[in-house]
Amino acid sequence: MPSPVAPPDASVEGTDAGAVGDRPDSAVVRDALGVGIAVGLSGFAFGVTSAGSGLTVLQTCALSLLVFTGASQFALVGALAGGGNPFTAAAGAFFLGVRNAFYGLRLSQLLALPRAVRPFAAHWVIDETTAVSLAQRGRRGARIGFTVTGLSLYVLWNLTTLLGAVGAEAIGDTDAWGLDAAGPAVFLALLAPMVRTARERAVAAVAVLLGLGLLPVLPAGVPVLVAGLAVPIVLYGAGLRAQRTTRGNDR
């Protein structure tokens, strides 16, 4: 799988087509297709999981067509499969999807799309399109990365969702296949190249501890949100260490 998440060069953000430092279009398309295909295939796991949770093929496909954010979709069907209240399950999925609104704030400045296109583009603002867009060095590359990733992922995700939902009956016991782990595994593969510094690794470690530690005591979806507290926790600890270092140097 290509590494689509190299740090963006903020100094050239907003530059137009042909800006100095832009990557070749073919390289952007290659990386975007890699992400779209790799993640899009995991729609099969969602289709199987959703159908195995009791949703119909139509309901499963509607989720992928209209919601189109894998984490929220898996959280919803997972909560329903666990006997959760539909409203609670929907609330958890909603709050997971709220992060896409913050992605949109960032991407709206980077992509600067025409107003007529923005409502349609908003449907593709997800983890993968954001990661690929931010990894580019100029606006042209960001637009190509966003479009190719969004299009390839949307088409493949919905096709494989349909195949998974239809094929769930043939598979039988879907839990025995462990297909629900495919989605998180893909996200982990996308995230891993981004975790480079000691502080980033600390944030990841604290987030894992919070998420797994709270999983048995909080409703489905909530531990993931609480894991976001890893950022202020690590930053607070870094601030304390900096203060101690400063005091030590002053003595």
Side-chain angles (χ1 to χ4, degrees):
M1 179 184 303
S3 175
V5 287
D9 186 349
S11 64
V12 294
E13 176 185 332
T15 52
D16 294 326
V20 175
D22 264 358
R23 300 173 64 209
D25 292 351
S26 59
V28 179
V29 171
R30 179 195 62 209
D31 288 353
L33 282 176
V35 174
I37 293 173
V39 180
L41 291 175
S42 63
F44 182 83
F46 170 73
V48 172
T49 304
S50 180
S53 301
L55 273 67
T56 66
V57 173
L58 181 60
Q59 291 170 330
T60 297
C61 291
L63 276 175
S64 284
L65 284 168
L66 302 177
V67 178
F68 188 51
T69 172
S72 295
Q73 293 179 228
F74 274 108
L76 176 64
V77 299
L80 293 176
N85 183 290
F87 294 102
T88 303
F94 171 79
F95 283 115
L96 274 175
V98 166
R99 71 189 187 285
N100 294 333
F102 295 98
Y103 295 161
L105 294 175
R106 182 73 174 87
L107 290 180
S108 65
Q109 299 176 353
L110 177 62
L111 301 176
L113 296 173
R115 291 183 180 275
V117 179
R118 292 179 187 177
F120 303 98
H123 196 48
W124 287 354
V125 175
I126 55 177
D127 298 315
E128 293 77 13
T129 54
T130 302
V132 173
S133 299
L134 294 181
Q136 309 312 317
R137 298 168 183 160
R139 178 166 296 161
R140 176 181 173 82
R143 285 178 170 178
I144 293 174
F146 177 86
T147 302
V148 175
T149 305
L151 179 61
S152 59
L153 181 50
Y154 187 77
V155 171
L156 195 55
W157 176 267
N158 280 285
L159 285 176
T160 53
T161 293
L162 174 61
L163 291 175
V166 173
E169 293 184 358
I171 291 176
D173 184 5
T174 56
D175 292 339
W177 290 76
L179 293 176
D180 56 332
V186 171
F187 286 125
L188 183 61
L190 288 171
L191 179 64
M194 299 181 67
V195 183
R196 298 176 176 177
T197 67
R199 184 173 297 180
E200 291 168 350
R201 287 192 289 270
V203 170
V206 174
V208 169
L209 290 175
L210 287 173
L212 293 181
L214 296 175
L215 191 60
V217 296
L218 292 179
V222 177
V224 176
L225 301 177
V226 177
L229 294 176
V231 175
I233 291 174
V234 171
L235 291 178
Y236 180 73
L240 289 179
R241 287 195 299 273
Q243 290 180 358
R244 291 172 183 171
T245 302
T246 302
R247 291 172 183 170
N249 293 334
D250 292 341
R251 292 176 181 173

